[in-house]
Amino acid sequence: MANPNNNFHGALVRCGFIDPTADHLIDEGIADTNTLLLATHDDIDTIARTVNRSPAYQQLGVSMAFISVKRMKGFRFWADECIRTGYEADPNVFDDDAVDAYTTKLANYQALAKSFKNDYDKPDPITKMTKWRKFDEPLRNYLSQYLSADSKTWLTYLIWEDEDTLMSSTWTPTRMKTA
């Protein structure tokens, strides 16, 4: 029977890791796309720092080059995208073209998310509900500028105009507004 880790090992090699490093990552528990998804981008950075600073790993021939780490993050981004869209994250599908494409997509997404970080003003807190109409538009503008971490799309919020909508048993989508 074929070792299922061979497919994952091949994907790590396509990311630019040498065989001893790919073997080490698999031995340490990052053995398939499901376990890769458990590691955040910060976790991957921590693993790389630990490996690169340790003489013991260097003696084993294990090292994690900067570009390989970026590609591994692209691999994780690809796996996350597969799961989110309902596809199986099969490492065989993560070919050389996907390595480049998803590493670039991740970099573009991170740049976009960074450009929106703290770039907008938070509305002043509402003190009385009678001032809702004046508060409503700045709130919608503020909320519409946040990206969702899971779907990588702009967040949508439901804001009801009046309390009766919440209590109504005949609520329909025409009665809602999105930010």
Side-chain angles (χ1 to χ4, degrees), residues 22-175:
D23 292 337
H24 172 73
L25 289 168
I26 290 170
D27 291 345
E28 289 296 317
I30 302 178
D32 55 32
T33 51
N34 292 327
T35 54
L36 176 63
L37 288 170
L38 294 176
T40 65
H41 292 259
D42 290 338
D43 293 337
I44 293 170
D45 286 335
T46 301
I47 293 166
R49 272 193 305 277
T50 302
V51 165
N52 289 334
R53 290 179 181 169
S54 171
Y57 288 117
Q58 292 170 5
Q59 289 175 352
L60 296 172
V62 175
S63 65
M64 296 181 75
F66 176 75
I67 195 67
S68 299
V69 172
K70 285 188 81 68
R71 288 178 176 161
M72 184 178 182
K73 290 178 185 179
F75 183 25
R76 187 198 180 286
F77 186 72
W78 168 84
D80 188 37
E81 199 71 10
C82 286
I83 301 299
R84 186 185 68 77
T85 55
Y87 292 99
E88 181 185 356
D90 180 2
N92 286 327
V93 178
F94 191 68
D95 59 11
D96 291 333
D97 293 335
V99 170
D100 294 335
Y102 278 89
T103 302
T104 302
K105 279 184 182 184
L106 174 61
N108 291 341
Y109 173 72
Q110 287 173 331
L112 179 66
K114 187 176 181 180
S115 72
F116 284 108
K117 203 169 215 160
N118 296 326
D119 223 17
Y120 28 84
D121 295 326
K122 192 185 262 188
D124 294 329
I126 189 168
T127 54
K128 295 179 183 176
M129 288 309 289
T130 55
K131 297 182 179 182
W132 174 257
R133 298 250 184 243
K134 187 175 180 180
F135 177 73
D136 182 44
E137 188 174 344
L139 174 67
R140 288 174 193 251
N141 289 335
Y142 177 70
L143 294 178
S144 70
Q145 297 179 51
Y146 279 95
L147 286 175
S148 164
D150 293 332
S151 65
K152 297 164 188 65
T153 58
W154 303 112
L155 292 177
T156 300
Y157 296 85
L158 301 180
I159 300 173
W160 281 271
E161 292 291 324
D162 55 55
E163 291 178 18
D164 295 338
T165 305
L166 295 173
M167 302 302 172
S168 172
S169 61
T170 59
W171 177 82
T172 61
T174 57
R175 302 232 12 218

